[in-house]
Each structure stands twice: as C-alpha cells, then as structure tokens.
Amino acid sequence: SYKKNNSILKIDKLSLKFGKKVILDNLNFQMNQGTILGLLGPNGSGKTTLFNLIVGLIKPDFGSININSEKVNKFPIYIRAQKYRLSMIPQYGGFFHRLTVYENLKAISEITIKNKSYQEEKVNSLLSKFELDNVRNVSADVLSGGQKKRLSIALALVSEPKILLMDEPFAALDIMTIKTLQEIIINLQTNENLSILISDHNANDLLKVCDEGAVIYNGKIVAQATPNNLIQNIDA
C-alpha cells in the first residue's frame, strides 16, 4: 500500500565527463515512491559518481535530477537534504571517527532537529533501534564493520529523510552481517516508508532486497526491471 506509481526520483539524460573520460552518458532512470531500487554495475561504472550528483556534491555537464517532479540541479546539498528530505550513506565512513557513538548522533541531531528535548529522544531511539546502546560511549573508529554500518545508517536517519541513498552498503561485510543489514533495509522501507536507492556490484546480495534493479554499464542504464525479469534479461 505504501508503494506508489508516482516517481519520487527521476534522472533525465544525465551526462558527465572528467577531462576526456566519459563517466555518465545520457543516463536515464526513475525510482517510484516507497520502493527499493538496486543499482548494479562493475567498479568504475559510475555508481558513486551518480550518487554524488544526486546529493549535489558535483554538478552534471548536462541533464536533470528531479525529486518529486522538481528539478534540483541548482540547489546545494543542504537544501536537497532539508527541503527534499534526501540522505546518503557513503560506502566508507559517514561518521566522525574520534567521537563516540552517542556524540556522533548528538552532533547531527543538533544540526537537524530544532527542538532540544526531541534531540535526546531521537538519539536514544536510534541507539536502541540499531542495537548500539552497549557501545554508546565507545569511539566510532574502534567499532566492528557491522556496528560502523549501523551507526552510519542511524546518522542518515536523524533528519528523518524520505529518500535514502546507500552506496555499496554490503562491501567488506561478512555473510551474517549482510543478512542483518538486508533485514534492516527492508524494515526501513516498511516501517519508515522510505524510498531507497542502493548501489552494489554483487547481484546476489542486492537483488534479495529490491523491488526493481537497474544495471549501469559504460555510463548508461542498460536494463531496469524486477529482479526476476532482470536476471532473464540478456542485456543485463
């Protein structure tokens, strides 16, 4: 019921070059509200660059990025985060290494939440939700790989986003941690009504959690379909 046919994120003819190297070439795709879209592609295919374009870290040479049918190309990162409720979890890091888990969450809450009493409530809620209570006073740089990933997800959720970008979240994690993370992603979709765009190069891990998958290669989307149809697609 929470999945809609209307587009929440649409990429239209997006192109980018670094020098003479073409990174994205007239790339098109759209993600509907309340869905999980998996972006599959080999290393160097432009996945992270696309994420950086969507959040506003870099600007495209051509094409448009549309959120809720509004072109956002000219808006800086903080406007896309605040007005359009966009949040991103990078492949590595995404937290302050020398701060504790609690201090990390508290720092972001002070920026994104005006009500001071709600800041503490939100921080404690996320600590509990992602099972970080027992390490709340531990420095983030000594956490395990799974704990670091849960912390980076919690930090991305402090601002209560509507669109969540996850750049290769399964990288360098063991099988059990990947399984736990897959469950977290599904719960974010169902309980938080999030629209989630996830990139990875491992089809097996990614397609288990997706409503749709899109394959990016040589800077273009070569196929987009449900996981079953994507697996049977010769181009994919």
Side-chain angles (χ1 to χ4, degrees):
S1 61
Y2 51 81
K3 298 176 190 177
K4 309 291 183 183
N5 289 325
N6 57 303
S7 168
I8 193 169
L9 174 66
K10 185 177 182 181
I11 305 300
D12 188 29
K13 298 179 181 176
L14 207 62
S15 300
L16 179 72
K17 284 184 181 179
F18 290 148
K20 292 184 178 179
K21 182 174 175 59
V22 177
I23 308 299
L24 299 177
D25 182 17
N26 231 23
L27 183 143
N28 299 279
F29 79 89
Q30 78 170 35
M31 179 172 73
N32 288 340
Q33 185 179 340
T35 61
I36 299 176
L37 175 62
L39 188 66
L40 271 167
N43 290 328
S45 60
K47 301 188 299 296
T48 299
T49 300
L50 175 59
F51 277 36
N52 290 338
L53 283 162
I54 293 170
V55 298
L57 279 167
I58 52 178
K59 294 182 179 179
D61 297 330
F62 184 79
S64 62
I65 301 158
N66 303 281
I67 301 175
N68 289 327
S69 301
E70 291 184 46
K71 188 174 178 179
V72 301
N73 290 43
K74 293 183 179 180
F75 293 124
I77 296 172
Y78 77 94
I79 294 291
R80 300 188 199 194
Q82 292 176 351
K83 181 179 178 181
Y84 296 97
R85 311 283 291 279
L86 181 66
S87 197
M88 176 173 163
I89 301 165
Q91 182 176 353
Y92 300 109
F95 49 83
F96 302 106
H97 288 256
R98 295 189 180 183
L99 296 185
T100 66
V101 171
Y102 171 81
E103 289 168 343
N104 264 277
L105 289 163
K106 184 65 175 174
I108 302 303
S109 72
E110 288 173 352
I111 297 169
T112 59
I113 301 172
K114 292 181 180 179
N115 185 325
K116 288 191 176 182
S117 62
Y118 184 55
Q119 289 174 10
E120 194 70 21
E121 182 184 330
K122 187 68 177 179
V123 168
N124 288 325
S125 170
L126 289 168
L127 285 169
S128 175
K129 184 183 182 73
F130 291 99
E131 298 177 5
L132 294 167
D133 263 322
N134 61 331
V135 291
R136 65 185 290 140
N137 296 318
V138 175
S139 179
D141 60 357
V142 298
L143 298 175
S144 69
Q147 288 169 334
K148 286 177 179 177
K149 189 60 66 176
R150 295 205 303 276
L151 173 59
S152 63
I153 295 172
L155 288 167
L157 295 180
V158 172
S159 59
E160 299 181 350
K162 291 296 182 186
I163 303 172
L164 185 62
L165 310 182
M166 305 181 78
D167 190 11
E168 301 205 12
F170 306 122
L173 297 178
D174 62 84
I175 293 171
M176 291 306 296
T177 304
I178 288 173
K179 190 173 188 296
T180 300
L181 185 54
Q182 287 170 331
E183 291 173 358
I184 288 172
I185 291 168
I186 294 294
N187 288 334
L188 288 175
Q189 180 195 33
T190 53
N191 298 334
E192 309 291 336
N193 196 18
L194 278 174
S195 305
I196 306 173
L197 178 63
I198 314 175
S199 73
D200 211 275
H201 55 262
N202 187 324
N204 187 48
D205 292 335
L206 186 62
L207 294 180
K208 285 179 180 176
V209 299
C210 294
D211 298 298
E212 272 196 312
V215 177
I216 183 173
Y217 185 69
N218 281 343
K220 290 185 175 182
I221 298 292
V222 296
Q224 181 174 348
T226 61
N228 284 339
N229 289 338
L230 200 65
I231 289 168
Q232 297 170 26
N233 185 315
I234 192 76
D235 292 330

